[in-house]
Amino acid sequence: MNKYAKARAHTNIALIKYWGKRDERLKLPTTNSLSLTLNQFYTDTSVQFDERLVSDQVCFNGKILDQAAARRITNFLDVVRTQTGMQTKARVQTTNNVPTAAGLASSASGFAALAAAASRASGMRLNHRELSRLARRGSGSATRSIDGGFVEWHRGIGDRTSFATPVAPKDYWDLNVLAILIDEQPKKISSSKGMQLSQATSPYYAEWEKLCKQDLKKIKIAIKTKDFEQLGRIAEENAMRMHALTLSASPDFSYFAADSLKAMRLVQQLRANGIPCYFTMDAGPNVKVLVEPENRASVLSTLQAAFGNDKVVVAAPGPGVQYLK
Amino acid sequence: MNKYAKARAHTNIALIKYWGKRDERLKLPTTNSLSLTLNQFYTDTSVQFDERLVSDQVCFNGKILDQAAARRITNFLDVVRTQTGMQTKARVQTTNNVPTAAGLASSASGFAALAAAASRASGMRLNHRELSRLARRGSGSATRSIDGGFVEWHRGIGDRTSFATPVAPKDYWDLNVLAILIDEQPKKISSSKGMQLSQATSPYYAEWEKLCKQDLKKIKIAIKTKDFEQLGRIAEENAMRMHALTLSASPDFSYFAADSLKAMRLVQQLRANGIPCYFTMDAGPNVKVLVEPENRASVLSTLQAAFGNDKVVVAAPGPGVQYLK
């Protein structure tokens, strides 16, 4: 058995958001969600199971993590060990090409890459659905980073049926996502904590669940017909209705920073000026702008003028998980 | 008949918000709401009915308004003329001691003062309930500015039963409202337009209506028992759940400015440091902070340090409508 494997996974941006779990331990979501895997942000992770180790060793961006910091990764390796009946500890090396914890879903690419590398290193041979289920145990959004392009995560009826499947491959539709990196960090509430609070306390949560069902149907038609304005509108409104859940939680909270407001207003202005572009936002201050290639240059220059050239990253649909040497 | 009268009315701040009409013309609200009349912001208005006038003349803060700008006032005078069977035009002089259209509800004090002056000048002798009904025809929130202190506006079953009544008088509870005046004006969406959009398009609107009923019950108990933390918490959450309706509307919109976020964060920080204070926000960027007198100085100095001394106005419970010479 080859006990070493290395994998690359890209992050994804949810167009129909995942915002609530019906099972915390298994990370089963309350609703289906839909995302686009991006080419610009990825994680490379290698896993080496080694009989000589007495505990897992995790090296993150060149730095050895202490036990507490490595807990989530160790817990994930325990899932793999339980599934394979193995007890061997592992050496994990992971390099993130994503601004960590900035709402660019580094845990999506992180746990997708870890799931791929750890399962292969342990001798499991998983297909994409199985890998997606496994990645889910690390982080909900990682479920959607096994495949490229447009991906739907099915809530399923239980652990075995909650995985993601491709809706349209990476090259299906030539789109861009301009990610605006916003420095200011409002008080950090993890997405996990944020969705928990929203679900437990927002009076609007039940409506959110219904809404996602409708939005999902509509956005799949928009993808099928390549109707960009419909796609953008649904994604923007779905995102804002997710953020409305944070505002309406008890206590109320928000992921908006001053520059998030500025970015959203700019996009709405561009649109008022006849340029179709739409924003979305996750559990962090960054704003991501959907645009078609023919309008990319003009939207990009407006955003760069407002935020600085190095603060806007141009992304496009990205591939699914890849195994590296 | 004395065809001249002058009145002063104070603005009010809603603790349980009014955000939606079930009848646009009669301004019948979808829910009850509850407010506190404030002493610092008021409007003085005189009305003189004069047979010699061929059209209404409106002088607002020393400036004659053209017909278009005076339309809302003229329309209101038409309501008074219809009710009295009179056709005489009027000279209206109004002086606002409220930053107009800055979310400090200048239309509340404005139409309450106009209702009082116009009805008295026309010879009507209305009690507070009748006056409150009349003021409602000018602006929904004006309904609540006829009485001082804590006031509840009843949605009613129709025009005759939709008026406000006092819940507790001006001197019942010694509280302060620190109003932070925020310069930056996001794209202007009037409260009227904003509530219409929310009601017509937010998937959360039906829940909002239910929520207000519960919040109203709870806040009346908090007023009865003078439970400040409960009062503040309910008011803050009710406000944020109203703003969640704007985020979740289609198209999505928001009244938040960068400094609104800053103010809200400051209040939450003060609270985390053990100082009970709570915010509320209406259809504009200003933030109003509820605080008890014993903590006023410390909250005030924090807000002044952040926004400038002249940007924070200290208000207290104010009186109902007064007739002036």
Side-chain angles (χ1 to χ4, degrees):
Chain A
M1 181 175 106
N2 177 12
K3 292 192 161 179
Y4 173 87
K6 184 172 184 182
R8 170 174 297 179
H10 290 76
T11 194
N12 67 77
I13 181 174
L15 303 179
I16 305 299
K17 302 296 184 191
Y18 151 53
W19 200 247
K21 296 181 189 74
R22 62 186 206 276
D23 184 314
E24 280 289 332
R25 188 179 66 86
L26 291 172
K27 294 194 171 60
L28 298 174
T30 53
T31 62
N32 287 25
S33 54
L34 187 143
S35 59
L36 181 61
T37 303
L38 298 180
N39 64 351
Q40 282 293 345
F41 311 107
Y42 58 86
T43 304
D44 287 343
T45 297
S46 67
V47 175
Q48 167 93 61
F49 286 100
D50 187 334
E51 307 285 353
R52 293 165 302 178
L53 292 171
V54 292
S55 65
D56 292 322
Q57 271 185 20
V58 180
C59 176
F60 180 82
N61 284 346
K63 213 186 111 196
I64 305 276
L65 299 187
D66 64 27
Q67 264 197 323
R71 178 84 60 219
R72 255 182 103 182
I73 290 170
T74 302
N75 286 348
F76 184 81
L77 292 171
D78 286 342
V79 172
V80 173
R81 281 186 283 253
T82 302
Q83 293 191 4
T84 53
M86 183 177 72
Q87 295 190 328
T88 318
K89 303 297 181 187
R91 195 175 292 108
V92 175
Q93 287 213 313
T94 186
T95 315
N96 235 353
N97 189 39
V98 181
T100 303
L104 281 171
S106 58
S107 65
S109 55
F111 281 99
L114 181 64
S119 61
R120 177 156 296 203
S122 73
M124 299 166 93
R125 284 296 171 265
L126 304 180
N127 64 27
H128 271 206
R129 290 186 180 196
E130 292 162 337
L131 199 47
S132 171
R133 277 179 57 212
L134 178 61
R136 195 192 73 226
R137 301 293 295 274
S139 168
S141 56
T143 315
R144 296 184 313 240
S145 270
I146 302 303
D147 284 296
F150 290 100
V151 169
E152 179 180 359
W153 175 14
H154 309 274
R155 74 191 287 287
I157 51 168
D159 172 44
R160 296 193 62 79
T161 46
S162 187
F163 49 75
T165 56
V167 170
K170 160 174 149 14
D171 298 321
Y172 170 73
W173 194 354
D174 191 13
L175 290 179
N176 286 110
V177 174
L178 311 185
I180 308 168
L181 307 178
I182 290 174
D183 291 326
E184 186 199 344
Q185 294 293 334
K187 193 188 166 195
K188 193 92 197 76
I189 296 166
S190 71
S191 59
S192 193
K193 175 81 184 154
M195 65 177 72
Q196 216 172 5
L197 253 175
S198 302
Q199 196 179 345
T201 66
S202 169
Y204 303 150
Y205 195 83
E207 288 304 313
W208 162 256
E209 291 185 71
K210 290 185 208 159
L211 174 80
C212 283
K213 269 192 201 160
Q214 298 163 16
D215 282 354
L216 197 80
K217 258 188 210 164
K218 287 192 249 166
I219 209 164
K220 281 160 82 174
I221 294 168
I223 293 170
K224 203 163 191 174
T225 58
K226 294 194 180 175
D227 183 340
F228 177 74
E229 301 197 17
Q230 180 72 349
L231 178 92
R233 209 180 52 75
I234 296 166
E236 180 172 316
E237 292 183 357
N238 184 271
M240 291 301 99
R241 286 162 178 180
M242 179 203 108
H243 286 275
L245 297 177
T246 78
L247 272 195
S248 55
S250 172
D252 55 277
F253 64 103
S254 167
Y255 293 108
F256 293 172
D259 273 353
S260 318
L261 297 180
K262 180 176 156 187
M264 294 190 277
R265 217 166 289 143
L266 259 179
V267 169
Q268 290 177 330
Q269 269 169 25
L270 281 162
R271 212 152 65 211
N273 294 336
I275 300 174
C277 54
Y278 298 85
F279 58 77
T280 184
M281 247 187 96
D282 291 303
N286 297 326
V287 173
K288 295 96 172 184
V289 183
L290 288 160
V291 64
E292 291 167 297
E294 62 261 41
N295 296 310
R296 183 182 54 219
S298 63
V299 174
L300 180 61
S301 69
T302 303
L303 297 177
Q304 284 179 329
F307 295 97
N309 288 3
D310 57 328
K311 294 295 182 192
V312 189
V313 181
V314 180
V321 129
Q322 298 159 296
Y323 292 97
L324 308 173
K325 153 60 235 108
Chain B
M1 180 174 104
N2 177 13
K3 292 193 162 180
Y4 174 87
K6 186 173 182 180
R8 170 174 297 178
H10 290 75
T11 194
N12 67 76
I13 181 175
L15 303 180
I16 305 298
K17 302 296 183 191
Y18 152 53
W19 200 246
K21 297 181 188 73
R22 62 186 206 273
D23 184 314
E24 279 291 331
R25 189 181 65 86
L26 291 172
K27 296 194 170 63
L28 298 175
T30 53
T31 61
N32 287 24
S33 54
L34 187 142
S35 59
L36 181 61
T37 303
L38 297 179
N39 65 350
Q40 281 292 345
F41 311 107
Y42 57 86
T43 303
D44 287 343
T45 297
S46 68
V47 175
Q48 168 92 61
F49 286 101
D50 186 334
E51 306 285 353
R52 294 165 301 179
L53 292 171
V54 293
S55 65
D56 293 322
Q57 271 184 19
V58 180
C59 178
F60 180 82
N61 284 347
K63 212 185 112 196
I64 305 274
L65 299 187
D66 65 27
Q67 265 195 324
R71 179 81 61 217
R72 256 182 102 182
I73 289 169
T74 303
N75 287 348
F76 183 81
L77 292 170
D78 286 342
V79 173
V80 173
R81 282 186 282 253
T82 303
Q83 292 191 4
T84 55
M86 184 177 71
Q87 295 190 328
T88 318
K89 302 296 180 188
R91 195 174 292 109
V92 176
Q93 288 213 314
T94 186
T95 316
N96 236 353
N97 189 39
V98 181
T100 302
L104 281 170
S106 58
S107 66
S109 55
F111 281 99
L114 182 64
S119 62
R120 177 156 295 204
S122 73
M124 297 165 94
R125 285 294 171 268
L126 304 180
N127 63 28
H128 272 205
R129 290 186 179 196
E130 292 163 337
L131 200 47
S132 171
R133 278 180 57 214
L134 178 60
R136 193 193 74 225
R137 302 293 295 274
S139 169
S141 55
T143 314
R144 295 184 312 238
S145 270
I146 302 303
D147 284 296
F150 289 100
V151 169
E152 179 180 359
W153 175 13
H154 310 272
R155 74 191 288 284
I157 53 168
D159 172 43
R160 295 194 61 80
T161 45
S162 187
F163 49 75
T165 55
V167 170
K170 160 174 149 13
D171 298 320
Y172 170 73
W173 193 356
D174 191 13
L175 289 179
N176 286 110
V177 174
L178 310 186
I180 308 167
L181 308 177
I182 289 172
D183 291 326
E184 186 198 346
Q185 295 294 333
K187 193 187 166 195
K188 191 93 197 75
I189 296 166
S190 71
S191 59
S192 192
K193 175 82 183 153
M195 65 177 73
Q196 217 172 5
L197 254 176
S198 301
Q199 197 179 344
T201 66
S202 169
Y204 304 150
Y205 194 83
E207 289 304 312
W208 162 255
E209 290 185 71
K210 290 184 208 160
L211 174 80
C212 283
K213 267 191 202 160
Q214 299 163 14
D215 282 354
L216 198 79
K217 257 187 212 165
K218 286 192 249 169
I219 209 166
K220 282 160 81 173
I221 295 169
I223 293 170
K224 203 164 191 173
T225 56
K226 294 194 181 176
D227 182 340
F228 177 73
E229 300 197 17
Q230 179 72 348
L231 178 93
R233 208 180 52 76
I234 297 166
E236 180 172 315
E237 292 183 358
N238 184 272
M240 290 302 99
R241 286 162 178 180
M242 179 203 108
H243 286 275
L245 297 177
T246 78
L247 273 195
S248 56
S250 172
D252 55 276
F253 65 103
S254 167
Y255 293 108
F256 293 170
D259 274 351
S260 318
L261 296 181
K262 180 177 155 184
M264 294 190 278
R265 219 165 288 143
L266 258 179
V267 169
Q268 290 177 330
Q269 269 169 26
L270 280 163
R271 213 152 65 211
N273 294 336
I275 301 174
C277 54
Y278 298 86
F279 58 78
T280 184
M281 248 187 94
D282 291 303
N286 297 326
V287 173
K288 295 95 171 186
V289 182
L290 288 160
V291 64
E292 292 168 297
E294 63 261 41
N295 295 310
R296 183 182 55 220
S298 63
V299 174
L300 181 61
S301 69
T302 302
L303 297 178
Q304 284 180 329
F307 295 99
N309 288 1
D310 57 328
K311 294 295 183 193
V312 189
V313 181
V314 180
V321 129
Q322 299 159 296
Y323 292 98
L324 309 172
K325 156 56 235 109

